[in-house]
Amino acid sequence: MKRIEAVNDFVIKFANVNGSGSASANELFAKAIMRMGVPVAPRNIFPSNIQGLPTWYEARVCEKGYSGRRGGVDMMVAMNPQTWDGDVAEIEAGGYLFYDSTRPMPASKFRSDVHVIGVPLTEITNATYTDPRQRQLFKNIIYVGALSVLLDVDAAVFEKLFAEQYKGKERLLDSNVKALHLGRDYVKTHLGGAIGIRVEKRDNVGEQILIDGNTAVGLGMVYGGATVAAWYPITPSTSVAEAFQKYCDKFRVDPASGRQNYAIVQAEDELASIGMVVGAGWNGARAFTATSGPGVSLMTEFIGLAYFAEIPVTIVDVQRGGPSTGMPTRTQQSDLFAAAYASHGDTKHVLLFPQDPHECFVHAAAALDLADRLQTPVFVMTDLDIGMNQRLCKPFAWDDSKQYDRGKVMTAEELEAGKDFGRYKDVDGDGIPWRTLPGTHPTKGSYFTRGTTRDPYARYSERGPDYIYNMERLRRKFKTAGTLVPQPEVKHATQKTKFGVIYFGSTTPAMHEALEVLEEGGIHLDAMRLCAFPFPDSVPEFIAAHDKVFVVEQNCDAQMRSMLINELEINPAQLVKVIHYDGTPITARFITRAIRDILQPAQAAQQKEAA
């Protein structure tokens, strides 16, 4: 039987039970690979309950640095009898099944084309430990030790990680090192060492950092000048507020007085949280909330108020599967409609689409500037895959000389000098009016913040011409936003092609790999990564330059494709949907197969016609 042979290029998946303590051990394994200088992309697939249901941890080890899901599993660490059959079915032919062989398994539970590696983990654990919790926890470390020998990873790498984690806690350090070597010693004695997939030391990680998107957003909000956060817990966005709290405690506390120069409120619900953020934005603070799709649904009326009253608000939407409660611990890009057109009537909102934790940091800070400058709600559209999974990315950088862009804020001196102030008046054609902050001047510059129709000077009006003036100005402002948001990135194929592809956000890593695979197979695509909505002029130009453009996204309704058709008046036949929506991150294999299945018959027909 053949076996998979690969160095620094494989996928290993851990099948565990939620609440068993496996998460720490699996993360230890991924970090050890990274310490070997080999890029790794881990993903945690967990249930929406606290304990007892199946959970998986998938680590993509890839010397080339591909961080998207590849598809397929080269080695399955099967630690959950509940999911055994499905887990075994995922293994590639010639791959490896690692399992606890303490209890015999019938032959029918194995595959003839998979190499089986049995280690009696429970037997080793029970012979060493008497405490039930220790048995459970250290069994995980024992299988990590066994894997370290099978994959040829030096024990010293793990021991250094333990030393860092348990510094000053020698008892915990010693016990974990002991468990690691129990697994290593068994494999050396009984199984003969390394297998066909293994890790060799490299220097391909460089200065990259391993961080999750939610932490990056929280730090970006601090650097971007946010001083107010109001939120209500919801998976998968809760850790955004927690990260913001952690970094505010570090950077926003006056060392002399101990005064906290920030306000964080866990509200009673999403309605209260967005109301607080709108109030803080009106008062001049940089404020944000973090939520997911169900939270956006509840917030829509306040979002509409902020849009029409023109109040800066930043909303972090860490998307998950829907509708309703949907799949709280699975990922999708399914809130595009909900966010872009939140609230009733003719509303449109600015959306930013970060591709990785680095852009989560950058876009979080940029969103606060955009909200102030445009005086409108701005959404940072991440998802569970980016938000809750650690990803290698380039280090964050910040220019300490940077000045926050507060936009058109009229000062007391300007008001005193007699400068004309029309709160909802377009003075230079960009659709953005001037505003003042409360308390700027004792008698001048005050205004009613109206969610109702008004004239340019904020006086109540139900006149049709005043309403039309406001709506046309808001349209101009939205057009202006298209010049201020991050612009699309275009990558041209190595040869001229009439086919293109559009993608965005967390789809990016898998898309980059798929483009290379397709190119190697003779399918050439020009590629555009969307970074924001509204769509800049370069987007319709890209589409017009190609006969067919694939739109790759992770939702059932092809929402991005619909937005492109609706906003840019594109012929629907020109945009071909490639959709993935089972709750797992899209894979390079899925994208490659979907595009190849469509293009290869068309190419064959063209060649036949030409002949």
Side-chain angles (χ1 to χ4, degrees):
M1 175 176 49
K2 72 167 188 176
R3 70 176 189 172
I4 293 175
E5 302 276 351
V7 177
N8 297 343
D9 187 12
F10 58 87
V11 175
I12 182 168
K13 191 170 184 178
F14 301 81
N16 299 101
V17 177
N18 197 38
S20 64
S22 60
S24 297
N26 298 339
E27 186 175 312
L28 173 74
F29 171 85
K31 286 183 176 179
I33 304 296
M34 188 181 72
R35 290 291 179 92
M36 293 279 286
V38 181
V40 61
R43 283 177 170 82
N44 194 10
I45 305 167
F46 56 97
S48 56
N49 76 335
I50 296 174
Q51 189 166 334
L53 288 183
T55 184
W56 294 267
Y57 187 90
E58 183 178 294
R60 170 88 184 271
V61 178
C62 184
E63 189 171 301
K64 291 183 178 180
Y66 294 138
S67 60
R69 286 186 71 222
R70 185 198 70 186
V73 176
D74 300 312
M75 184 178 198
M76 178 67 71
V77 180
M79 303 298 294
N80 188 353
Q82 294 174 287
T83 60
W84 175 277
D85 292 339
D87 295 332
V88 172
E90 281 193 61
I91 306 171
E92 302 274 279
Y96 304 87
L97 170 64
F98 179 101
Y99 81 110
D100 182 353
S101 60
T102 300
R103 293 182 179 179
M105 298 280 287
S108 60
K109 288 293 184 180
F110 299 98
R111 284 170 48 189
S112 60
D113 61 345
V114 168
H115 298 272
V116 178
I117 303 167
V119 176
L121 297 168
T122 301
E123 180 182 316
I124 295 171
T125 306
N126 290 348
T128 310
Y129 305 100
T130 56
D131 179 80
R133 185 57 177 167
Q134 283 189 328
R135 286 177 171 178
Q136 183 180 54
L137 294 176
F138 285 122
K139 182 164 72 171
N140 301 320
I141 303 300
I142 293 170
Y143 75 60
V144 168
L147 291 172
S148 71
V149 176
L150 293 169
L151 300 176
D152 204 16
V153 182
D154 193 341
V157 178
F158 292 94
E159 290 170 357
K160 186 175 180 181
L161 286 168
F162 282 136
E164 293 171 3
Q165 183 175 356
Y166 298 115
K167 186 177 181 180
K169 302 177 181 177
E170 279 67 29
R171 187 174 61 85
L172 291 173
L173 170 61
D174 293 343
S175 58
N176 277 274
V177 170
K178 177 183 176 181
L180 180 81
H181 282 278
L182 285 171
R184 289 182 62 87
D185 292 344
Y186 182 89
V187 172
K188 289 177 181 178
T189 303
H190 298 89
L191 300 180
I195 57 175
I197 56 174
R198 57 195 178 88
V199 181
E200 285 185 1
K201 191 172 181 60
R202 294 287 189 270
D203 189 18
N204 292 357
V205 173
E207 296 299 316
Q208 294 183 97
I209 61 174
L210 188 66
I211 190 172
D212 64 84
N214 284 357
T215 299
V217 168
L219 184 59
M221 288 296 174
V222 172
Y223 273 82
T227 56
V228 175
W231 62 293
Y232 184 76
I234 182 172
T235 302
S237 72
T238 296
S239 56
V240 172
E242 292 171 345
F244 183 69
Q245 172 83 56
K246 179 178 73 173
Y247 290 119
C248 280
D249 288 344
K250 184 174 182 179
F251 297 119
R252 290 277 175 78
V253 177
D254 182 79
S257 65
R259 178 182 177 182
Q260 295 177 337
N261 297 312
Y262 62 90
I264 301 174
V265 181
Q266 180 179 326
E268 61 266 33
D269 54 31
E270 287 87 353
L271 283 169
S273 65
I274 188 64
M276 293 174 188
V277 169
V278 171
W282 172 83
N283 206 44
R286 288 196 153 186
F288 79 96
T289 188
T291 190
S292 192
V296 173
S297 297
L298 291 169
M299 294 177 181
T300 52
E301 187 172 5
F302 264 123
I303 293 170
L305 171 64
Y307 170 80
F308 201 55
E310 298 180 68
I311 299 170
V313 172
T314 299
I315 302 164
V316 180
D317 182 0
V318 189
Q319 299 167 90
R320 69 190 207 187
S324 188
T325 304
M327 296 188 290
T329 58
R330 298 292 188 265
T331 193
Q332 281 189 9
Q333 297 172 313
S334 56
D335 292 350
L336 303 185
F337 288 162
Y341 307 112
S343 193
H344 52 279
D346 297 310
T347 55
K348 290 182 184 179
H349 306 295
V350 176
L351 313 182
L352 306 183
F353 305 120
Q355 66 167 331
D356 62 9
H358 180 271
E359 283 197 356
C360 284
F361 172 79
V362 173
H363 284 193
L368 295 164
D369 264 358
L370 285 167
D372 265 351
R373 186 166 177 182
L374 294 165
Q375 301 172 31
T376 198
V378 175
F379 286 80
V380 180
M381 303 294 290
T382 75
D383 54 43
L384 185 145
D385 185 30
I386 298 177
M388 296 193 70
N389 287 316
Q390 292 184 320
R391 193 84 57 84
L392 278 172
C393 66
K394 61 184 179 181
F396 304 157
W398 188 260
D399 182 358
D400 288 331
S401 66
K402 175 181 171 60
Q403 298 292 313
Y404 299 137
D405 188 346
R406 301 308 303 264
K408 295 178 179 176
V409 180
M410 199 169 289
T411 65
E413 291 75 19
E414 289 170 323
L415 290 166
E416 190 64 34
K419 189 170 183 177
D420 182 45
F421 176 65
R423 174 63 186 99
Y424 299 109
K425 183 179 180 180
D426 187 358
V427 295
D428 53 14
D430 65 1
I432 305 171
W434 285 85
R435 63 177 174 138
T436 62
L437 301 180
T440 295
H441 193 283
T443 59
K444 300 176 180 179
S446 61
Y447 60 90
F448 288 107
T449 301
R450 292 199 183 275
T452 56
T453 309
R454 65 274 166 155
D455 71 7
Y457 290 90
R459 294 174 297 213
Y460 180 81
S461 172
E462 294 186 9
R463 295 178 64 250
D466 287 334
Y467 178 78
I468 291 172
Y469 174 86
N470 267 292
M471 295 307 297
E472 292 295 331
R473 182 180 56 75
L474 289 169
R475 284 176 178 269
R476 286 194 298 276
K477 183 166 77 168
F478 198 68
K479 184 72 174 175
T480 299
T483 68
L484 301 178
V485 297
Q487 299 298 294
E489 293 182 355
V490 176
K491 181 181 180 182
H492 292 287
T494 55
Q495 66 182 55
K496 189 173 177 60
T497 178
K498 58 184 179 180
F499 301 112
V501 62
I502 287 175
Y503 58 99
F504 61 98
S506 64
T507 304
T508 301
M511 190 70 240
H512 285 174
E513 182 178 358
L515 285 168
E516 291 191 18
V517 174
L518 290 166
E519 187 98 12
E520 291 170 1
I523 295 177
H524 305 280
L525 297 170
D526 292 330
M528 171 175 274
R529 178 171 74 92
L530 299 177
C531 297
F533 174 75
F535 306 122
D537 292 340
S538 57
V539 178
E541 292 168 2
F542 177 86
I543 296 172
H546 300 88
D547 291 350
K548 296 284 185 184
V549 176
F550 296 93
V551 183
V552 183
E553 52 189 309
Q554 299 182 70
N555 60 71
C556 180
D557 291 335
Q559 294 179 30
M560 182 60 79
R561 176 179 177 271
S562 296
M563 288 172 64
L564 289 165
I565 292 168
N566 181 58
E567 295 293 330
L568 304 177
E569 299 183 358
I570 304 295
N571 178 2
Q574 198 173 354
L575 298 181
V576 182
K577 64 183 179 182
V578 176
I579 54 175
H580 182 275
Y581 53 92
D582 68 358
T584 62
I586 195 169
T587 67
R589 288 183 179 180
F590 177 90
I591 297 170
T592 303
R593 183 171 57 250
I595 293 177
R596 185 184 288 144
D597 288 349
I598 294 170
L599 282 188
Q600 282 185 334
Q603 289 179 331
Q606 288 175 357
Q607 291 171 356
K608 184 177 180 181
E609 185 178 329

